């Protein structure tokens, strides 16, 4: 899935260029695009750590003057004196990314597009850019800058192999706006995911092979960014526990620095109580787990056969017993789903007191196996990329109408974000890190309710959405 952790241009370049940058100083603008006034269901009141662009910024030679703009909290100055613009782009904001690119190119400024969507549809992205990064660009960045300096940017850049993650420079967090005050620090320790989920773009962008950073380098980075015990740390990894021996070493480092941390993993961690204990002792507050579905048929069909749906409640209790809260993700719209799925999932979430649940609609992102299958079956009817935010229905479900899926999602999202539902889960549950999850639920609730109102009040009744009223 294209996740809000957004490894955008982001998935690009990790090793510092060397024999370049000898020309007069160049000015570079790196942009994280957002459409003004449009929120997504996973937005928070606090800026989310932009790890990818700060890391990309660290790769430029000292002769380059680099500036980062996060449109979620600041505006792009289209009259800014710059020589090169780099724009990252998730699918749901790619139209904004293209608009920004077009504005700068009208002035003759060179533009490079990268990130998830341009990597999946590079030919489309090239219509709005001088050059496109495809996937990761380790080993390519020096060539890109050399080509740029001599006025010879190539249309596309793509590394032929996945690089090792050693020797990564420290991200230029100092370049972030003074208005940027995230609730937690962020770090990347691994990349890639060995799982083969049908709907997910991670294996395409970051590879199926699990790659790890040297533990001593992670220790040095934490020493540079953690100022005191008890600070919150977010891991931008796809699966922090995919390699157990590495995870154990990582947890020891977290314990040494006294951080409280959150990360992505799978439900398989519940089958390893020894590792769970190590996570708890190292300061783990929350684990983001993609439950996806309660139906075994759905899990099997999307390559999650390692999950036994009948054991989910027991596994949840095991994790919570280790004083770790769960950020649980569920997806509506699988082929096995009927109109009953919304009520059944909500009841499961409430009964098991999942601390922070999030719902989304199955979305066939470009290039994924899901997109290819649904395209072949003739079920995709909406190709407006702004609707690929996991809150809009863009394909025809198998056992319900488009309207039933859209309205069922909105009902479920509204139910679990209601204050009464939040308090019931947290007060009746194990109360692990109670105030952290209380704040997290209510911070997310603001964005979730705005998305619900926008779709229900301004989009569903409008004549441009007739597919939502089909039978």
């Amino acid at each position: 899935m294209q996740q809000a952790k957004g490894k955008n241009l982001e998935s690009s370049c990790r090793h510092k260029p060397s024999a370049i940058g000898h020309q007069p100083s160049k000015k570079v603008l790196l942009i994280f695009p957002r459409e003004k006034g449009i929120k997504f269901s996973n937005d928070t009141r606090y800026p989310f750590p932009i790890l990818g662009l700060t890391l990309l910024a660290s790769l430029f030679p000292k002769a380059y003057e680099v500036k980062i703009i996060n449109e979620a909290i600041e505006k792009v100055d289209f009259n800014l004196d710059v020589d090169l613009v780099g724009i990252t782009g998730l699918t749901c904001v790619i139209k904004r990314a293209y608009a920004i690119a077009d504005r700068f190119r009208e002035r003759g400024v060179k533009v490079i597009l990268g990130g998830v969507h341009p990597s999946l549809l590079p030919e489309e992205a090239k219509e709005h850019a001088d050059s496109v990064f495809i996937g990761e660009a380790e080993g390519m960045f020096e060539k890109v800058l050399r080509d740029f300096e001599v006025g010879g940017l190539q249309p596309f850049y793509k590394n032929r192999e996945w690089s090792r993650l050693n020797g990564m420079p420290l991200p230029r967090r100092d370049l972030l706006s003074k208005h940027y005050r995230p609730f937690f620090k962020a770090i990347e320790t691994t990349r890639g995911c060995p799982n083969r989920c049908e709907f997910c773009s991670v294996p395409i962008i970051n590879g199926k092979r699990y790659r790890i950073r040297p533990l001593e380098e992670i220790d040095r980075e934490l020493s540079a960014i953690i100022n005191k015990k008890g600070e919150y740390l977010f891991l931008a990894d796809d699966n922090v526990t995919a390699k157990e021996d590495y995870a154990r070493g990582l947890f020891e480092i977290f314990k040494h620095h006294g951080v409280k941390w959150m990360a992505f993993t799978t439900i398989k961690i519940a089958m390893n109580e020894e590792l769970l204990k190590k996570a708890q002792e190292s300061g783990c507050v929350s684990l983001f787990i993609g439950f996806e579905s309660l139906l075994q048929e759905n899990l099997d069909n999307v390559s999650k056969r390692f999950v036994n749906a009948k054991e989910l409640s027991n596994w949840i209790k095991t994790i919570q017993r280790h004083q770790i809260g769960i950020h649980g993700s569920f997806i509506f719209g699988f082929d096995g789903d009927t109109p009953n799925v919304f009520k059944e999932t909500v009841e499961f979430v409430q009964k098991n007191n999942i601390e922070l649940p999030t719902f989304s609609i199955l979305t066939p992102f470009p290039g994924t196996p899901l997109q290819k299958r649904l395209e072949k079956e003739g079920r995709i009817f909406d190709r407006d990329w702004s609707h690929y935010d996991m809150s809009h229905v863009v394909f025809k479900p198998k056992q319900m109408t488009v309207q039933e899926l859209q309205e069922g999602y909105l009902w479920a999202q509204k139910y679990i974000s209601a204050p009464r539902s939040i308090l019931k889960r947290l007060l009746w549950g194990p109360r692990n890190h109670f105030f952290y999850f209380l704040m997290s639920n209510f911070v997310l609730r603001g964005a979730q309710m705005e998305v619900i109102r926008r779709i229900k009040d301004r989009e569903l009744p409008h004549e441009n959405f007739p597919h939502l009223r089909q039978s």
Side-chain angles (χ1 to χ4, degrees):
M1 195 187 303
Q2 292 187 358
Q3 291 161 341
K5 60 186 177 179
K7 296 175 182 175
N8 302 328
L9 187 79
E10 258 180 54
S11 297
S12 305
C13 325
R14 294 297 194 261
H15 303 293
K16 289 187 177 180
S18 53
I20 53 179
H22 299 303
Q23 296 186 0
S25 177
K26 299 286 187 180
K27 297 181 180 180
V28 179
L29 179 63
L30 303 178
I31 303 173
F32 183 84
R34 285 296 301 266
E35 199 72 53
K36 184 179 179 180
I38 300 295
K39 284 189 175 293
F40 301 112
S41 61
N42 60 354
D43 278 346
T44 67
R45 188 172 302 174
Y46 307 98
F48 198 80
I50 301 181
L51 187 60
L53 291 185
T54 55
L55 186 49
L56 184 62
S58 69
L59 305 174
F60 286 90
K62 292 182 179 179
Y64 279 71
E65 181 183 330
V66 184
K67 180 180 178 64
I68 296 176
I69 291 291
N70 175 5
E71 272 205 303
I73 57 175
E74 52 194 327
K75 295 181 179 180
V76 175
D77 181 359
F78 290 99
N79 296 314
L80 196 65
D81 179 21
V82 291
D83 303 292
L84 177 67
V85 172
I87 309 172
T88 183
L90 294 170
T91 298
C92 58
V93 295
I94 198 62
K95 291 168 69 174
R96 175 59 181 166
Y98 290 163
I100 295 172
D102 292 343
R103 288 279 300 274
F104 278 105
R105 293 184 80 204
E106 288 173 1
R107 289 178 42 202
V109 178
K110 295 298 182 183
V111 173
I112 299 178
L113 281 169
V116 177
H117 189 87
S119 295
L120 297 174
L121 294 177
E123 296 290 345
E124 175 190 286
K126 181 60 181 66
E127 296 178 8
H128 304 272
D130 296 280
S131 185
V132 178
F133 270 151
I134 301 173
E136 299 178 347
E138 283 85 351
M140 296 294 294
F141 197 66
E142 183 173 350
K143 176 173 174 52
V144 172
L145 288 188
R146 187 183 298 115
D147 290 348
F148 165 67
E149 290 182 352
V150 299
L153 277 175
Q154 297 181 13
F156 304 100
Y157 290 94
K158 182 179 181 180
N159 210 341
R160 293 185 177 182
E161 57 185 26
W162 303 110
S163 68
R164 299 174 62 186
L165 301 184
N166 58 315
M168 293 170 61
L170 290 181
R172 291 289 308 276
R173 297 177 175 91
D174 60 297
L175 295 178
L176 296 172
S177 165
K178 62 181 180 181
H179 301 295
Y180 181 81
R181 294 290 183 271
F183 179 66
F184 40 75
K185 306 288 178 61
I187 191 172
E188 181 182 38
T189 68
T190 68
R191 207 181 309 161
C193 183
N195 296 325
R196 305 289 188 271
C197 299
E198 185 188 35
F199 51 82
C200 188
S201 61
V202 168
I204 305 171
I205 301 300
N206 291 326
K208 299 174 183 178
R209 181 169 63 86
Y210 195 65
R211 291 167 289 151
I212 59 177
R213 287 181 65 191
L215 291 174
E216 59 271 20
E217 293 185 17
I218 295 168
D219 189 24
R220 284 198 295 270
E221 184 169 351
L222 289 181
S223 296
I225 65 174
I226 299 299
N227 301 314
K228 60 183 179 180
K229 301 282 186 180
E231 284 196 65
Y232 286 93
L233 180 70
F234 173 76
L235 275 66
D237 304 18
D238 298 303
N239 183 357
V240 70
T241 58
K243 191 173 182 181
E244 183 178 338
D245 58 342
Y246 181 79
R248 288 173 180 272
L250 199 61
F251 296 167
E252 286 299 318
I253 293 175
F254 294 161
K255 185 177 181 180
H256 170 73
H257 287 277
V259 295
K260 297 179 179 180
W261 59 273
M262 300 79 72
F264 293 82
T265 187
T266 71
I267 194 64
K268 285 198 289 188
I269 193 173
M271 308 171 202
N272 189 337
E273 292 202 48
E274 187 178 346
L275 188 61
L276 264 178
K277 184 178 180 182
K278 292 291 184 183
Q280 173 196 351
E281 293 172 348
S282 68
C284 182
V285 171
S286 172
L287 290 173
F288 183 104
I289 296 174
F291 292 94
E292 323 308 3
S293 177
L294 305 179
L295 294 178
Q296 193 66 50
E297 172 191 350
N298 289 337
L299 295 171
D300 292 346
N301 288 340
V302 297
S303 300
K304 282 208 166 186
R305 294 180 179 84
F306 60 85
V307 178
N308 182 350
K310 294 180 180 179
E311 291 295 322
L312 288 176
S313 291
N314 291 330
W315 288 336
I316 290 169
K317 290 183 177 63
T318 299
I319 295 171
Q320 292 175 331
R321 190 169 63 246
H322 286 80
Q323 299 174 22
I324 296 174
I326 296 174
H327 185 165
S329 172
F330 298 84
I331 299 175
F332 299 131
F334 291 113
D335 284 354
D337 287 347
T338 69
N340 296 324
V341 68
F342 310 106
K343 183 179 180 182
E344 291 170 355
T345 305
V346 164
E347 289 177 348
F348 177 87
V349 165
Q350 294 298 115
K351 178 181 178 181
N352 288 278
N353 301 309
I354 293 178
E355 284 84 355
L356 184 58
T358 56
F359 296 152
S360 60
I361 293 174
L362 186 67
T363 303
F365 290 109
T368 59
L370 174 66
Q371 183 265 338
K372 293 176 182 178
R373 177 172 66 84
L374 294 182
E375 195 74 73
K376 186 178 180 180
E377 295 172 1
R379 294 167 61 186
I380 299 177
F381 60 80
D382 189 346
R383 291 172 179 80
D384 181 341
W385 298 135
S386 66
H387 293 163
Y388 282 61
D389 58 357
M390 298 183 289
S391 292
H392 288 81
V393 184
V394 299
F395 74 101
K396 297 176 182 177
K398 202 165 188 178
Q399 299 195 62
M400 62 180 112
T401 66
V402 171
Q403 184 175 0
E404 285 173 327
L405 176 53
Q406 184 68 71
E407 294 183 347
Y409 159 77
L410 295 175
W411 171 84
Q413 190 75 282
K414 184 176 181 180
Y415 190 103
I416 58 104
S417 60
R420 182 173 62 178
S421 299
I422 294 171
L423 292 173
K424 183 178 180 180
R425 289 195 306 272
L426 297 182
L427 290 173
W428 290 18
R431 301 191 185 186
N432 296 321
H433 311 286
F434 177 83
F435 290 106
Y436 168 81
F437 281 107
L438 182 67
M439 181 193 71
S440 297
N441 271 277
F442 278 96
V443 165
L444 277 177
R445 181 179 185 273
Q448 291 167 344
M449 293 305 295
E450 187 166 326
V451 169
I452 291 170
R453 285 192 293 268
R454 170 165 55 87
I455 296 176
K456 197 168 185 178
D457 299 340
R458 298 204 296 271
E459 295 181 1
L460 282 180
H462 198 273
E463 61 182 3
N464 289 338
F465 290 83
H467 51 268
L468 296 180
R469 296 189 295 275
Q470 71 179 34
S471 59

